[in-house]
Amino acid sequence: MPALTPDTIRTLTETLADLTDYLREAPDPTEALALVEPLLDEYTGLPVQFADTLRALARAVQEHPDTPRTPQASLLITELRTAAWELADQHTLHYVLDELRVLYGSSPTHDAVCSQCR
């Protein structure tokens, strides 16, 4: 794995900002859904990945020998873990994406579930 740097992570967030700007231009919904789909994947999408990242950060901070063993440090670690749980709960957004695909007919199962297409 290549070394991670703040610049590589910044590039990632800039790409996400570019996607947001693009979506604000009101592209075709089918294209927009295709672009967003990897972000909302049930297993590898942003909510799951970011939750895992926050949990890993909490663990790294908690286990580091230089981390002060104070109530404030414990509270901060707890806040990271709480945020991780809240983000992980958002994994269900992939169901919204599934429903939007059906709405716009971009799902392979569209004809099977769309009463107007029968």
Side-chain angles (χ1 to χ4, degrees):
M1 178 169 93
L4 291 176
T5 67
D7 286 339
T8 59
I9 302 303
R10 205 168 282 114
T11 298
L12 173 71
T13 58
E14 288 171 2
T15 300
L16 188 56
D18 290 344
L19 173 61
T20 302
D21 290 343
Y22 179 74
L23 293 173
R24 287 182 179 140
E25 296 172 6
D28 177 74
T30 303
E31 180 183 1
L33 291 169
L35 290 171
V36 173
E37 183 176 11
L39 300 176
L40 297 181
D41 182 85
E42 180 178 11
Y43 302 105
T44 60
L46 282 180
V48 173
Q49 292 294 327
F50 197 43
D52 287 347
T53 299
L54 290 179
R55 279 190 286 272
L57 175 60
R59 188 177 320 107
V61 169
Q62 182 177 29
E63 294 177 357
H64 195 277
D66 292 340
T67 298
R69 306 298 179 222
T70 63
Q72 181 187 13
S74 292
L75 179 62
L76 294 171
I77 292 165
T78 299
E79 289 290 332
L80 286 171
R81 289 188 172 128
T82 299
W85 277 108
E86 291 171 1
L87 284 166
D89 283 346
Q90 300 304 311
H91 79 279
T92 59
L93 286 171
H94 78 277
Y95 294 120
V96 173
L97 193 65
D98 288 344
E99 294 298 320
L100 285 170
R101 274 195 227 101
V102 170
L103 182 67
Y104 286 99
S106 62
S107 170
T109 60
H110 172 72
D111 292 339
V113 296
C114 181
S115 61
Q116 296 175 355
C117 297
R118 291 184 201 166

